[in-house]
Amino acid sequence: MIRPLLSLAALVVGAATSVHAADFTVTSPDFTDGGRLGEAQVFDGFGCTGGNVAPALAWTGAPAGTKSFAVTVYDPDAPTGSGFWHWSMFDIPAATTSLATGSTGAGRPAGAVEVRNDYGGTGFGGACPPPGPAHRYVVTVFALKVDKLGLGADATPAVTGFMLNANVLATARITALYGR
């Protein structure tokens, strides 16, 4: 009796966490999936001297029922024990299907909210890994089932992630690499 319940629980958890939609994709003219970030997307500080400019992004194939979008950039390879959040923007209107290069701060879509990154600033913070192997920078676009997450700019990346995952219909990802 326990084995069928465990199998059912695994199926339910798997279905609940499987949010990738095959038709929902994100691309960037600033880098290719698996390609290297340009100097424009590198942080200007912490020993790095890049442009600290948010990459351009475009997405297609969002599922029916999408009411807003969110974008995050996360480095799972950062030597922190919890990765490093470079950008979190949410409450992007559903009619928006792209962000131009530099769409952060005053350049973000009307109504969109950005929260503090792990550098301690609000908005996009570029790549700046310690010397050594290249790090992965995972750009995720979330198609959400709500117009607004109900969070302000003072939300932490962890709380933002919790609310994104609680309201996600689908995700699209692209990963860039950068090392020094």
Side-chain angles (χ1 to χ4, degrees):
M1 178 68 173
I2 291 176
R3 176 166 269 150
L5 288 176
L6 290 176
S7 296
L8 178 61
L11 179 64
V12 168
V13 169
T17 60
S18 177
V19 296
H20 180 75
D23 294 334
F24 188 34
T25 59
V26 59
T27 59
S28 177
D30 295 325
F31 61 91
T32 59
D33 191 29
R36 183 176 164 85
L37 280 177
E39 292 301 312
Q41 283 74 49
V42 173
F43 193 65
D44 187 19
F46 280 66
C48 292
T49 56
N52 202 44
V53 177
L57 302 170
W59 52 91
T60 60
T66 299
K67 294 185 178 178
S68 69
F69 294 100
V71 172
T72 63
V73 178
Y74 176 71
D75 172 3
D77 303 316
T80 64
S82 60
F84 198 92
W85 290 99
H86 289 266
W87 196 20
S88 297
M89 181 192 305
F90 54 86
D91 293 353
I92 300 169
T96 302
T97 58
S98 65
L99 297 173
T101 300
S103 291
T104 187
R108 71 181 176 261
V113 177
E114 292 175 293
V115 300
R116 185 179 63 240
N117 58 46
D118 281 342
Y119 289 115
T122 301
F124 178 78
C128 186
H135 284 211
R136 294 169 291 159
Y137 295 86
V138 181
V139 177
T140 305
V141 178
F142 293 79
L144 302 171
K145 61 185 175 183
V146 294
D147 293 318
K148 303 283 184 189
L149 279 186
L151 300 175
D154 60 342
T156 65
V159 169
T160 301
F162 178 85
M163 293 301 292
L164 290 174
N165 286 301
N167 291 287
V168 69
L169 293 171
T171 59
R173 288 190 174 85
I174 186 172
T175 301
L177 304 172
Y178 185 79
R180 57 185 186 120

Short mmCIF file of all heavy atoms in Angstrom, two decimals, residues 135-167:
data_model
loop_
_atom_site.label_atom_id
_atom_site.label_comp_id
_atom_site.label_asym_id
_atom_site.label_seq_id
_atom_site.Cartn_x
_atom_site.Cartn_y
_atom_site.Cartn_z
N HIS A 135 31.51 30.39 -14.99
CA HIS A 135 30.24 30.17 -14.29
C HIS A 135 29.10 30.18 -15.30
O HIS A 135 29.21 30.77 -16.37
CB HIS A 135 30.01 31.27 -13.26
CG HIS A 135 30.84 31.13 -12.03
ND1 HIS A 135 30.41 31.56 -10.81
CD2 HIS A 135 32.07 30.61 -11.83
CE1 HIS A 135 31.34 31.31 -9.90
NE2 HIS A 135 32.37 30.74 -10.50
N ARG A 136 27.99 29.56 -14.92
CA ARG A 136 26.77 29.57 -15.72
C ARG A 136 25.87 30.70 -15.22
O ARG A 136 25.70 30.89 -14.01
CB ARG A 136 26.02 28.25 -15.58
CG ARG A 136 26.77 27.07 -16.15
CD ARG A 136 26.12 25.76 -15.74
NE ARG A 136 26.33 25.58 -14.29
CZ ARG A 136 25.60 24.79 -13.52
NH1 ARG A 136 24.58 24.11 -14.03
NH2 ARG A 136 25.86 24.68 -12.23
N TYR A 137 25.31 31.43 -16.16
CA TYR A 137 24.36 32.50 -15.85
C TYR A 137 23.04 32.09 -16.50
O TYR A 137 22.89 32.16 -17.72
CB TYR A 137 24.89 33.85 -16.35
CG TYR A 137 26.14 34.21 -15.57
CD1 TYR A 137 27.39 33.74 -15.98
CD2 TYR A 137 26.04 34.89 -14.38
CE1 TYR A 137 28.52 33.99 -15.22
CE2 TYR A 137 27.18 35.15 -13.61
CZ TYR A 137 28.41 34.69 -14.05
OH TYR A 137 29.52 34.92 -13.28
N VAL A 138 22.11 31.64 -15.67
CA VAL A 138 20.85 31.08 -16.13
C VAL A 138 19.80 32.19 -16.17
O VAL A 138 19.45 32.76 -15.13
CB VAL A 138 20.38 29.93 -15.21
CG1 VAL A 138 19.07 29.34 -15.73
CG2 VAL A 138 21.46 28.87 -15.07
N VAL A 139 19.36 32.50 -17.38
CA VAL A 139 18.31 33.49 -17.59
C VAL A 139 17.00 32.72 -17.71
O VAL A 139 16.87 31.85 -18.56
CB VAL A 139 18.57 34.31 -18.87
CG1 VAL A 139 17.43 35.29 -19.11
CG2 VAL A 139 19.92 35.01 -18.80
N THR A 140 16.06 33.04 -16.84
CA THR A 140 14.76 32.37 -16.85
C THR A 140 13.66 33.40 -17.05
O THR A 140 13.64 34.42 -16.36
CB THR A 140 14.51 31.60 -15.54
OG1 THR A 140 15.59 30.70 -15.31
CG2 THR A 140 13.20 30.83 -15.60
N VAL A 141 12.78 33.13 -17.99
CA VAL A 141 11.56 33.92 -18.15
C VAL A 141 10.42 33.06 -17.62
O VAL A 141 10.26 31.91 -18.02
CB VAL A 141 11.32 34.32 -19.62
CG1 VAL A 141 10.00 35.10 -19.75
CG2 VAL A 141 12.49 35.13 -20.16
N PHE A 142 9.66 33.62 -16.72
CA PHE A 142 8.51 32.94 -16.10
C PHE A 142 7.24 33.49 -16.72
O PHE A 142 7.04 34.71 -16.74
CB PHE A 142 8.45 33.23 -14.60
CG PHE A 142 9.57 32.65 -13.80
CD1 PHE A 142 10.81 33.27 -13.76
CD2 PHE A 142 9.38 31.51 -13.04
CE1 PHE A 142 11.85 32.76 -13.01
CE2 PHE A 142 10.41 30.98 -12.28
CZ PHE A 142 11.65 31.61 -12.26
N ALA A 143 6.36 32.63 -17.23
CA ALA A 143 5.01 33.00 -17.62
C ALA A 143 4.16 32.75 -16.37
O ALA A 143 4.14 31.64 -15.83
CB ALA A 143 4.52 32.14 -18.78
N LEU A 144 3.48 33.80 -15.92
CA LEU A 144 2.77 33.73 -14.64
C LEU A 144 1.25 33.79 -14.81
O LEU A 144 0.75 34.43 -15.74
CB LEU A 144 3.24 34.87 -13.73
CG LEU A 144 4.74 34.87 -13.43
CD1 LEU A 144 5.13 36.15 -12.71
CD2 LEU A 144 5.13 33.65 -12.63
N LYS A 145 0.56 33.18 -13.87
CA LYS A 145 -0.91 33.14 -13.91
C LYS A 145 -1.56 34.31 -13.19
O LYS A 145 -2.78 34.35 -13.05
CB LYS A 145 -1.41 31.81 -13.34
CG LYS A 145 -1.03 31.57 -11.89
CD LYS A 145 -1.47 30.18 -11.44
CE LYS A 145 -0.99 29.89 -10.03
NZ LYS A 145 -1.37 28.52 -9.63
N VAL A 146 -0.74 35.27 -12.72
CA VAL A 146 -1.25 36.45 -12.01
C VAL A 146 -0.73 37.71 -12.69
O VAL A 146 0.35 37.71 -13.27
CB VAL A 146 -0.85 36.45 -10.52
CG1 VAL A 146 -1.51 35.29 -9.78
CG2 VAL A 146 0.66 36.40 -10.35
N ASP A 147 -1.52 38.80 -12.59
CA ASP A 147 -1.09 40.08 -13.13
C ASP A 147 0.05 40.67 -12.31
O ASP A 147 0.96 41.28 -12.85
CB ASP A 147 -2.24 41.10 -13.13
CG ASP A 147 -3.36 40.72 -14.08
OD1 ASP A 147 -3.06 40.28 -15.20
OD2 ASP A 147 -4.54 40.87 -13.69
N LYS A 148 -0.05 40.52 -11.00
CA LYS A 148 0.91 41.10 -10.06
C LYS A 148 1.27 40.06 -9.01
O LYS A 148 0.40 39.33 -8.54
CB LYS A 148 0.32 42.32 -9.34
CG LYS A 148 -0.17 43.42 -10.26
CD LYS A 148 0.96 44.21 -10.82
CE LYS A 148 0.45 45.37 -11.66
NZ LYS A 148 1.52 46.04 -12.38
N LEU A 149 2.55 40.02 -8.64
CA LEU A 149 2.98 39.09 -7.58
C LEU A 149 2.60 39.59 -6.19
O LEU A 149 2.57 38.81 -5.25
CB LEU A 149 4.49 38.88 -7.62
CG LEU A 149 5.02 37.89 -8.62
CD1 LEU A 149 6.52 37.69 -8.42
CD2 LEU A 149 4.31 36.56 -8.57
N GLY A 150 2.34 40.87 -6.04
CA GLY A 150 2.00 41.42 -4.74
C GLY A 150 3.22 41.69 -3.88
O GLY A 150 3.11 41.78 -2.66
N LEU A 151 4.38 41.82 -4.52
CA LEU A 151 5.62 42.12 -3.82
C LEU A 151 6.11 43.50 -4.23
O LEU A 151 5.85 43.96 -5.33
CB LEU A 151 6.71 41.10 -4.16
CG LEU A 151 6.44 39.64 -3.83
CD1 LEU A 151 7.57 38.77 -4.37
CD2 LEU A 151 6.30 39.46 -2.32
N GLY A 152 6.88 44.12 -3.35
CA GLY A 152 7.51 45.40 -3.67
C GLY A 152 8.98 45.22 -3.97
O GLY A 152 9.52 44.11 -3.90
N ALA A 153 9.64 46.32 -4.25
CA ALA A 153 11.07 46.31 -4.58
C ALA A 153 11.92 45.91 -3.38
O ALA A 153 13.10 45.60 -3.55
CB ALA A 153 11.49 47.67 -5.10
N ASP A 154 11.35 45.87 -2.19
CA ASP A 154 12.11 45.47 -1.00
C ASP A 154 12.08 43.96 -0.75
O ASP A 154 12.69 43.47 0.19
CB ASP A 154 11.59 46.21 0.24
CG ASP A 154 10.12 45.93 0.52
OD1 ASP A 154 9.39 45.47 -0.38
OD2 ASP A 154 9.69 46.21 1.66
N ALA A 155 11.41 43.20 -1.62
CA ALA A 155 11.37 41.74 -1.47
C ALA A 155 12.77 41.16 -1.70
O ALA A 155 13.54 41.69 -2.50
CB ALA A 155 10.38 41.14 -2.45
N THR A 156 13.07 40.09 -1.02
CA THR A 156 14.35 39.42 -1.23
C THR A 156 14.27 38.51 -2.46
O THR A 156 13.16 38.11 -2.86
CB THR A 156 14.73 38.57 -0.01
OG1 THR A 156 13.77 37.52 0.11
CG2 THR A 156 14.80 39.40 1.27
N PRO A 157 15.40 38.15 -3.04
CA PRO A 157 15.36 37.20 -4.14
C PRO A 157 14.71 35.86 -3.74
O PRO A 157 14.01 35.26 -4.55
CB PRO A 157 16.83 37.02 -4.52
CG PRO A 157 17.46 38.32 -4.15
CD PRO A 157 16.75 38.71 -2.87
N ALA A 158 14.91 35.43 -2.50
CA ALA A 158 14.32 34.15 -2.07
C ALA A 158 12.79 34.23 -2.03
O ALA A 158 12.10 33.33 -2.51
CB ALA A 158 14.87 33.75 -0.70
N VAL A 159 12.25 35.31 -1.47
CA VAL A 159 10.79 35.46 -1.43
C VAL A 159 10.25 35.64 -2.84
O VAL A 159 9.20 35.08 -3.19
CB VAL A 159 10.39 36.65 -0.52
CG1 VAL A 159 8.92 37.00 -0.68
CG2 VAL A 159 10.69 36.31 0.93
N THR A 160 10.96 36.38 -3.67
CA THR A 160 10.55 36.54 -5.06
C THR A 160 10.50 35.18 -5.75
O THR A 160 9.51 34.85 -6.43
CB THR A 160 11.51 37.48 -5.81
OG1 THR A 160 11.52 38.76 -5.15
CG2 THR A 160 11.10 37.66 -7.26
N GLY A 161 11.54 34.37 -5.57
CA GLY A 161 11.56 33.03 -6.16
C GLY A 161 10.41 32.17 -5.67
O GLY A 161 9.80 31.43 -6.45
N PHE A 162 10.10 32.26 -4.39
CA PHE A 162 8.97 31.50 -3.83
C PHE A 162 7.67 31.89 -4.54
O PHE A 162 6.90 31.02 -4.97
CB PHE A 162 8.86 31.75 -2.33
CG PHE A 162 7.71 31.03 -1.70
CD1 PHE A 162 7.84 29.71 -1.29
CD2 PHE A 162 6.49 31.65 -1.52
CE1 PHE A 162 6.77 29.02 -0.72
CE2 PHE A 162 5.42 30.98 -0.95
CZ PHE A 162 5.56 29.67 -0.55
N MET A 163 7.43 33.20 -4.66
CA MET A 163 6.19 33.66 -5.28
C MET A 163 6.15 33.34 -6.79
O MET A 163 5.09 33.03 -7.32
CB MET A 163 6.00 35.16 -5.04
CG MET A 163 5.75 35.49 -3.57
SD MET A 163 4.28 34.68 -2.90
CE MET A 163 3.00 35.55 -3.80
N LEU A 164 7.30 33.42 -7.45
CA LEU A 164 7.34 33.06 -8.87
C LEU A 164 6.96 31.60 -9.04
O LEU A 164 6.12 31.26 -9.88
CB LEU A 164 8.73 33.30 -9.45
CG LEU A 164 9.15 34.76 -9.61
CD1 LEU A 164 10.60 34.84 -10.06
CD2 LEU A 164 8.23 35.49 -10.57
N ASN A 165 7.56 30.73 -8.25
CA ASN A 165 7.27 29.30 -8.38
C ASN A 165 5.85 28.95 -7.96
O ASN A 165 5.28 27.98 -8.46
CB ASN A 165 8.31 28.49 -7.62
CG ASN A 165 9.62 28.47 -8.37
OD1 ASN A 165 9.70 28.03 -9.50
ND2 ASN A 165 10.67 28.99 -7.74
N ALA A 166 5.25 29.73 -7.07
CA ALA A 166 3.86 29.49 -6.66
C ALA A 166 2.86 29.91 -7.74
O ALA A 166 1.71 29.48 -7.71
CB ALA A 166 3.57 30.24 -5.35
N ASN A 167 3.30 30.75 -8.68
CA ASN A 167 2.38 31.30 -9.68
C ASN A 167 2.78 31.02 -11.12
O ASN A 167 2.23 31.61 -12.05
CB ASN A 167 2.26 32.81 -9.47
CG ASN A 167 1.54 33.14 -8.19
OD1 ASN A 167 0.33 32.97 -8.10
ND2 ASN A 167 2.27 33.57 -7.18
#
